[in-house]
Amino acid sequence: MANAQRAVPAAKDAAQRAVPAAKDVSDAVRRSAEDAAAWARPRVDEAAAWARPRVDEARSWAAPKLERSGIAVQETIAPAIADAMVSAARAIEVKTARRRRWAKPAAITMIVAAIASAAAAIAMRRRPPTPAFPPVDPDSPVDPAFGEASSIRPESDVNGRLET
């Protein structure tokens, strides 16, 4: 601790001497930088003045060449790239199933036919049963004992003859 107490005044003394020295160094660096800037400024302006017409000349030479190249790319390479991109898009596209135009009307027709046949079946079930053989009518010209061809009794004409 005694060493630390002795070191404190020495550090304060060193700091008091270092601050003015640092200020002197910073002033010297600032002056050197200002001198370097003053020396470089006219040379930079001179270099810019020398380069400006040459840059403009290079730009005026390059502009038409760049424009012609752009047009050539647009007319030759761009269509080929566009065609390749379209072909690639069509190749990777998911194919949709073709729509069948007859499927919907056919389905509706089948549904209507099924409903109509169901209605006919219901109507036939509700109809009262009919006997397999009709009842015999005594006044009927049909003779139930014979087949259909011979069951009709021939009638005579006015003159009494039978027509066959």
Side-chain angles (χ1 to χ4, degrees):
M1 180 123 163
N3 289 337
Q5 287 176 350
R6 277 186 267 149
V8 170
K12 284 183 182 180
D13 184 43
Q16 285 176 352
R17 277 184 278 135
V19 168
K23 285 183 181 179
D24 289 343
V25 169
S26 71
D27 288 341
V29 169
R30 185 172 21 88
R31 278 192 304 268
S32 295
E34 287 172 355
D35 290 344
W39 176 86
R41 187 170 294 122
R43 286 162 181 77
V44 168
D45 291 342
E46 183 181 318
W50 176 85
R52 188 171 295 117
R54 286 160 181 79
V55 168
D56 290 343
E57 184 181 322
R59 289 175 64 184
S60 64
W61 173 85
K65 293 186 182 328
L66 186 60
E67 183 178 358
R68 280 194 304 269
S69 298
I71 291 170
V73 166
Q74 183 178 5
E75 292 175 353
T76 58
I77 298 171
I81 291 173
D83 290 342
M85 291 173 70
V86 168
S87 297
R90 289 182 180 154
I92 65 172
E93 185 179 30
V94 176
K95 304 287 190 240
T96 56
R98 279 190 14 204
R99 188 170 172 218
R100 298 178 182 170
R101 295 176 190 237
W102 57 268
K104 191 173 184 177
I108 291 172
T109 303
M110 290 171 47
I111 290 171
V112 168
I115 292 171
S117 63
I122 290 171
M124 290 188 69
R125 281 193 155 179
R126 291 187 178 174
R127 191 174 65 183
T130 56
F133 299 104
V136 178
D137 183 17
D139 296 331
S140 174
V142 178
D143 184 10
F146 298 104
E148 276 189 17
S150 62
S151 62
I152 299 176
R153 295 186 191 142
E155 294 185 11
S156 61
D157 278 343
V158 177
N159 61 5
R161 294 187 182 173
L162 294 176
E163 286 188 8
T164 56

